[in-house]
């Protein structure tokens, strides 16, 4: 399989939409890859998996599925689709069967940073705008981080609590980009998940929004995964 035949599908996480992938998208496109970006409603895990599967099914050939943050839960479930040949987790949750994002964040370490999630309103969550940049996007250009804070997408409680029925990482090669300066998902939690799924792991300096601040680093791991999967066929 030629790596450039592999389609790359990018899945965003909570509080944001797919536009944050623009930098990664542009690098991958320039390098000859077919790239699609899922615009999930982040209303429930089941809805988001359904949206992602539609994009997967629209691809002509095999797929490398990439998820950021909550998008990791989405790709863990959606990755069971036969077209998906590999998974890339970017500072992402990687639940096991029966787990949810809520399960994975239930018992934080005493010294772990606390994400500034506001109380739910009408079944949806938002981050405190005043604390968004420091927690989510500390190394993003301040103007862009401010825009991200002001353009948040409400994150549904059904997305937070939705449980995985089958974890695709158990049968498909996985890669993990760990962000060492993350204030949303502590590096220790990321390290635990990456080790559990037996992912090839790269640790880099960066905030939770590394896909925005350092798209070249994210694109490099995606391309490495694509080439490795192609060579294994």
């Amino acid at each position: 399989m030629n790596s450039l035949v592999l389609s790359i599908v990018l899945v965003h996480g909570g509080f944001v939409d797919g536009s944050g992938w623009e930098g990664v998208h542009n690098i991958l496109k320039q390098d000859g890859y077919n790239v699609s970006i899922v615009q999930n409603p982040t209303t429930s895990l089941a809805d988001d998996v359904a949206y992602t599967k539609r994009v997967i099914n629209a691809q002509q050939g095999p797929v490398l599925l990439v998820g950021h943050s909550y998008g990791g839960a989405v790709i863990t479930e959606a990755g069971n689709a036969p077209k998906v040949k590999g998974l890339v987790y970017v500072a992402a949750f990687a639940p096991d069967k029966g787990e949810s994002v809520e399960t994975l964040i239930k018992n934080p370490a005493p010294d772990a940073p606390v994400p500034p999630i506001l109380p739910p309103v009408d079944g949806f969550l938002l981050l405190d705008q005043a604390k968004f940049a420091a927690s989510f996007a500390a190394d993003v250009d301040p103007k862009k981080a401010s825009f991200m804070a002001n353009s948040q997408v409400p994150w549904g409680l059904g997305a937070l609590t939705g449980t995985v029925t089958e974890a695709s990482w158990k049968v498909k090669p996985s890669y993990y980009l760990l962000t060492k300066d993350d204030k949303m998902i502590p590096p220790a939690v990321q390290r635990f998940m990456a080790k559990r799924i037996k992912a090839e792991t790269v640790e880099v300096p960066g905030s939770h929004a590394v896909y925005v601040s350092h798209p070249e680093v994210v694109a490099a791991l995606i391309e490495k995964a694509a080439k490795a999967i192609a060579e294994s066929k």
Side-chain angles (χ1 to χ4, degrees):
M1 185 199 305
N2 186 311
S3 60
L4 298 189
V5 174
L6 195 70
S7 293
I8 297 169
V9 174
L10 306 174
V11 182
H12 65 83
F15 308 117
V16 296
D17 64 16
S19 63
W21 287 112
E22 183 178 6
V24 174
H25 164 274
N26 291 346
I27 294 169
L28 296 173
K29 290 290 286 185
Q30 183 176 333
D31 291 345
Y33 288 89
N34 178 45
V35 186
S36 295
I37 298 172
V38 181
Q39 288 286 12
N40 275 327
T42 61
T43 48
S44 72
L45 180 62
D47 285 347
D48 297 334
V49 169
Y51 269 67
T52 300
K53 282 186 174 179
R54 288 191 198 106
V55 176
I56 292 169
N57 292 337
Q59 307 308 308
Q60 295 301 309
V63 168
L64 177 62
L65 200 51
V66 182
H68 170 255
S69 193
Y70 157 71
V74 178
I75 71 169
T76 296
E77 183 74 33
N80 291 300
K83 280 187 177 181
V84 176
K85 303 305 178 185
L87 309 162
V88 179
Y89 292 84
V90 180
F93 291 103
D96 201 348
K97 180 178 180 178
E99 289 183 342
S100 64
V101 170
E102 182 182 50
T103 304
L104 291 170
I105 64 174
K106 182 177 286 186
N107 298 305
D111 58 345
V114 179
I117 301 175
L118 298 172
V121 176
D122 297 328
F124 289 89
L125 300 166
L126 288 170
L127 294 177
D128 185 335
Q129 288 187 4
K131 299 177 181 178
F132 182 97
S135 295
F136 196 102
D139 57 353
V140 173
D141 174 81
K143 287 184 178 179
K144 182 172 285 189
S146 177
F147 177 78
M148 292 171 67
N150 294 329
S151 61
Q152 287 182 67
V153 179
W155 189 30
L157 291 175
L160 176 71
T161 60
T163 56
V164 166
T165 63
E166 291 295 337
S168 58
W169 49 258
K170 291 186 176 180
V171 293
K172 300 188 179 181
S174 300
Y175 296 76
Y176 199 105
L177 186 74
L178 185 153
T179 40
K180 294 191 284 188
D181 305 312
D182 205 306
K183 299 294 191 294
M184 293 293 294
I185 307 177
V189 175
Q190 294 185 47
R191 202 168 286 117
F192 158 76
M193 292 186 289
K195 183 177 180 180
R196 182 172 68 166
I197 70 175
K198 298 180 172 61
E200 181 170 334
T201 304
V202 176
E203 298 193 11
V204 298
S207 75
H208 193 58
V210 67
Y211 68 113
V212 178
S213 57
H214 299 291
E216 69 288 347
V217 173
V218 178
L221 181 58
I222 293 170
E223 293 192 17
K224 180 179 182 180
K227 290 169 184 173
I229 291 166
E231 290 169 0
S232 69
K233 300 301 177 183

